[in-house]
Amino acid sequence: MEIQKIEVAKNPEIEDAIELPKKGSHDEVEDCEEQQQQQEAQEDEKNRVEEEDELRNLLLSDIGGLPISPPSATQVNFVTYFITDFTKSGHDQYIYRHANGLCVIGLAPTHIAFKDEGGITNIDFNVGKSDRSVLKVSGKRKKNALRSESNTALCKVSTAKDTYIVRCCVKGSLLEVNDRLIKQPQLLNASADREGYIAIIMPRPTDWTKNKESLITLEEYKEKKELSL
Amino acid sequence: MADETKLASGDSVCLPNGLVSHGDSRTRRVYETARSLHSGAVKDLLSLGVCERCIFRLIPVEAFDSDVSSVSTSTLRSWLESRDDETGSLESSCSRICIVCLGILQFVFSDAKQKLVKTDTSSDYAARITELVKQDRREFDSFGLEVSVPSIIIENERAVLSYLKGKYSNESWLQIKKISVKDALKVLVLDPLRASLGAKSDSSTFHIRLTYSRASDGAQGASEKTHESKRRKTDAENGSNCISENSFEKVYEPCLLSVHCNKMPIFFSGRYFKYSRNVSQSRWIIDDERMGEASVEEILGGNILPACLGDSYKFHAAGREDIDVRMLGSGRPFLIEIQNSRQCPSEQSLKEVEEKINNSEKKLVGVKDLRCVGSQCWAMMREGEAEKQKQYAALVWISRPLEDKDLNSISSLIELKILQKTPVRVLHRRSPLDREKIIHWMKVEKIKGNSHYFLLHLCTQAGTYIKEFVHGDLGRTTPSMGSILGCRAEIIQLDVTDVKMGDS
């Protein structure tokens, strides 16, 4: 072992070569060690390339027929519900429910606010008794979350013409509001169904079962809105 | 008292009380010690009902050591008693359970079937213990001995000692620290056990535990005892000797002895591969239904456990992946902890376990480098956890065709900092936090004939949510693949291609 150390000090350029065969190390100390180690390094390189090829084959083998437009992450992971004319006519909202119970709330495409010229220009989370955008929910138990009823106000969206109140629609704990909307209200106009979501609420299982009855599915929503258009 | 019989250094000697003993130096030493004990104290203790070995402990003229174990209980008794001229009441007191050690140092106990077991010498006792140990079919070269005794013994001893202090306050042996019943038993039986089990004793992974517990007396008896022990305690505090000999009149029951063998867990390390997108890492059951078709944990543990004849296993991995993510490339380091193994599998049997898993029909999981490791394995696991980098290959779809300039704009991003809010899919069980992560490098691999899909190779900091980095998680991860390319991006499938450990 001592001899090996001296070798390293003398030949720093083969330091790399020595480090590589750590996995399959051998303990013999010979005079032609340097040559042997270089050979080993070359073999390792070959093995590595072979392994990479194997890996690439594995990676590509799994790719079956690729659809032109695959379902989005939202469509795959969430069940989509709608609620229409909530407390007021034209106030249509969506509720995406994840398998883990969380609900993402946002404005449905037929919401009355989108009909106004210029779309939504401003959003204000300071409604009801507190500013929803400053609440700090912490920990796994979601301490300090606002306990909301379905008609608790979430925020106000304003257009050039009017201001509309957006409500929770779901009874539960308010975990998060999308505060990016404050600086970028145009997200609501461009992609209300993704980056323009409004809030995330965590309902209790029993509350959700009751709530669900007032919600409609995507199909029912399409039908309803076709008629009114 | 000064009745010193010279012992010839021959093979056997006839002692004044008629007993013949082998005159080896150990026995002789014990004999001489017995003779040199304060006879008044010995008489008192004998009549109180203290056993012979406890007397040796409590009146320590010489250090209590394994030499005492070579002498049988009855011989010890005769040596201690022979100084008195009273020969009566020998028989009756012989069968009394010691009031201090409750029979433990007399090698008397009741077994699991409530039968009284009386052994006279330490080697007989060791033989009994060996029987019980062998029932468990264990293989071991060495063992560690553990003894547990009822706590009432401490109080008993305190009471007797304070009585002695009161009566013989000037004696020098009162000041010497006494060896405890627990340690005394270990000293007495360790050598005979070693001989009888055919094993060394050290602090090994295999432990033999002798647990003595009081036979339950029923409610009345228990309260009586507590009342008495309270009284003894105050007496001890006062240092008085007003403990009447009557309070020790009651007959004590021998303790219940149970023998347990316990093996510290043994560990196996290796790297596993997960080839299926329907196999979870650990056993995953919701509402009595299994998620996925199998788990890595059960496949690995279920194959290693029988090779060890163990009771159960625990699975630890350096990180984890989702059920629909394959683990390829160099594999992920893991540890299997086996509880109560009865044999250590040979290299050959470990190879067979590896082959069995790797050549199985369904090819769900693979394993390599399976070997037995010592307790340094935890350090190895820590290495793989938080600080290290992970490499992935993701199949990504984008809403517009991929252009050549995209390849450059992506591969030019080195050490990219991203901010990830806790993904919605885990937000129900994790804290809502903003986590800053680093994408070390990225590389795009085009797919022939398809401009909307490509393979993204990336190397990231441990703890990065890859899926969320690709689709943006409703804008809660920034930047994301979509925001970098200025379009919508979705992740179709993900594979882990490397888990770097150490300097590899």
Side-chain angles (χ1 to χ4, degrees), chain A residues 22 55-56 58-59 62 66-68 70 72-73 98 100 102 137 139-140 142 176 180 194-195 197, chain B residues 277 326 328 393 397 424-425 427-432 445 450 453 471 474-476 488 490 493 495:
Chain A
K22 226 176 189 174
L55 178 60
R56 178 165 289 119
L58 268 176
L59 288 176
D62 216 31
L66 299 173
I68 297 189
S72 72
H98 195 276
N100 63 18
L102 263 48
V137 177
K140 285 189 196 167
K142 314 297 184 277
E176 180 181 305
R180 284 168 294 285
R194 276 170 66 108
E195 284 81 8
Y197 76 95
Chain B
R277 294 193 188 280
R326 293 187 301 177
L328 310 171
W397 172 89
V424 178
R425 64 185 167 100
L427 187 54
H428 64 296
R429 60 176 168 82
R430 293 199 70 182
S431 292
E445 192 181 316
N450 201 314
Y453 287 86
H471 62 60
L474 303 173
R476 296 164 77 255
R488 242 186 357 121
E490 301 289 348
Q493 65 189 31
D495 295 321

Side-chain angles (χ1 to χ4, degrees), chain B residues 219-257:
Chain B
Q220 197 206 18
S223 64
E224 240 184 88
K225 282 199 171 73
T226 19
H227 178 67
E228 262 196 47
S229 58
K230 276 197 189 138
R231 190 154 58 102
R232 277 200 219 121
K233 256 194 179 152
T234 33
D235 287 338
E237 278 156 22
N238 295 338
S240 71
N241 61 340
C242 62
I243 297 169
S244 68
E245 303 191 4
N246 285 335
S247 67
F248 293 117
E249 270 304 306
K250 62 198 288 114
V251 177
Y252 283 80
E253 286 198 22
C255 293
L256 192 62
L257 171 64

